[in-house]
Amino acid sequence: MLRKKLFAEFLGTAVLVATVVGSGIMATNLSPDLGIDLLINTVATVFVLYILITLLAPISSAHFNPLVSAIAFFRKELTAAHAIAFFVVQILGGSLGAIIANLMFEHPAIDPSQNVREGVNLLLGEVVASAGLIFIIFVAVKQGIDKKIPRLVAAWIGAAYFFTSSTSFANPAVTIARSLTDSFSGINFSSVPAFIGAQIVGAALGYAGFKYLTTKAKSGK
């Protein structure tokens, strides 16, 4: 059963990153307009997120994201060993997805990104994107509307592509994978640690907000 869960996480993260990177390359091939490029990238990502979460959630809970797996560990839904295994397959799957996308468009398999993304404004964007993602997922679980998570997550990521300054990476595995492509969706590896740090902060804030709103107050308070 664990092997199936790990394969689902590997496959889901690979397809997600292949979509993000591939649609980014396709967008720049089709149009020099950055706004149109972002729209193409967003639409493809939203569609594939909905499909992947709907199909793979019954198998692995469809994390595809070390942030989600880490919080599942803190909630005692995953053991430490299983959480680490999830992290590994998510990173490997995301990396494979980037490589496949590169090859589909005749780029080098590993094409290190030259796109430096730095600045407090971009890191704040990652905090916001990650906080919202975690908040939405766990509030939906608490409210018993798990079946709506595919739509909710896809909608949040789609919106955050446009309203956050960083265009909403919100996922350490995806961030690492996107350093392997020198394309519209890429990120220079030197920018990766700060982005991941901001994502971790955002995830902690999102979960704290979830706990605050959903924990019943003690009687008399």
Side-chain angles (χ1 to χ4, degrees), residues 19-99:
T19 301
V20 172
V21 173
S23 64
I25 297 173
M26 176 66 83
T28 55
N29 288 346
L30 294 175
S31 172
D33 188 307
L34 289 178
I36 294 176
D37 293 348
L38 182 60
L39 178 61
I40 292 171
N41 200 208
T42 303
V43 170
T45 302
V46 166
F47 284 167
V48 85
L49 266 175
Y50 177 79
I51 293 168
L52 291 173
I53 297 173
T54 299
L55 294 180
L56 298 180
I59 300 172
S60 69
S61 297
H63 295 179
F64 315 141
N65 188 333
L67 299 178
V68 180
S69 299
I71 291 179
F73 163 70
F74 287 121
R75 287 166 60 87
K76 299 182 179 180
E77 296 168 1
L78 287 177
T79 66
H82 289 180
I84 291 170
F86 269 47
F87 298 161
V88 171
V89 297
Q90 288 159 357
I91 292 170
L92 292 177
S95 299
L96 178 63
I99 289 170

Side-chain angles (χ1 to χ4, degrees), residues 21-186:
V21 173
S23 64
I25 297 173
M26 176 66 83
T28 55
N29 288 346
L30 294 175
S31 172
D33 188 307
L34 289 178
I36 294 176
D37 293 348
L38 182 60
L39 178 61
I40 292 171
N41 200 208
T42 303
V43 170
T45 302
V46 166
F47 284 167
V48 85
L49 266 175
Y50 177 79
I51 293 168
L52 291 173
I53 297 173
T54 299
L55 294 180
L56 298 180
I59 300 172
S60 69
S61 297
H63 295 179
F64 315 141
N65 188 333
L67 299 178
V68 180
S69 299
I71 291 179
F73 163 70
F74 287 121
R75 287 166 60 87
K76 299 182 179 180
E77 296 168 1
L78 287 177
T79 66
H82 289 180
I84 291 170
F86 269 47
F87 298 161
V88 171
V89 297
Q90 288 159 357
I91 292 170
L92 292 177
S95 299
L96 178 63
I99 289 170
I100 290 172
N102 283 336
L103 292 174
M104 283 195 294
F105 291 91
E106 298 185 310
H107 289 213
I110 297 178
D111 193 15
S113 177
Q114 303 303 309
N115 189 2
V116 176
R117 299 176 188 256
E118 58 185 15
V120 174
N121 62 313
L122 297 185
L123 298 181
L124 178 59
E126 280 302 286
V127 170
V128 171
S130 303
L133 176 66
I134 296 302
F135 180 83
I136 286 166
I137 290 171
F138 288 97
V139 169
V141 170
K142 181 71 172 181
Q143 293 180 349
I145 54 172
D146 308 49
K147 290 184 178 179
K148 293 185 179 181
I149 288 178
R151 283 175 282 169
L152 293 170
V153 169
W156 172 256
I157 294 299
Y161 256 80
F162 283 100
F163 85 81
T164 63
S165 56
S166 63
T167 66
S168 182
F169 285 47
N171 184 328
V174 170
T175 303
I176 292 169
R178 287 169 69 166
S179 72
L180 303 179
T181 178
D182 191 24
S183 61
F184 174 78
S185 59

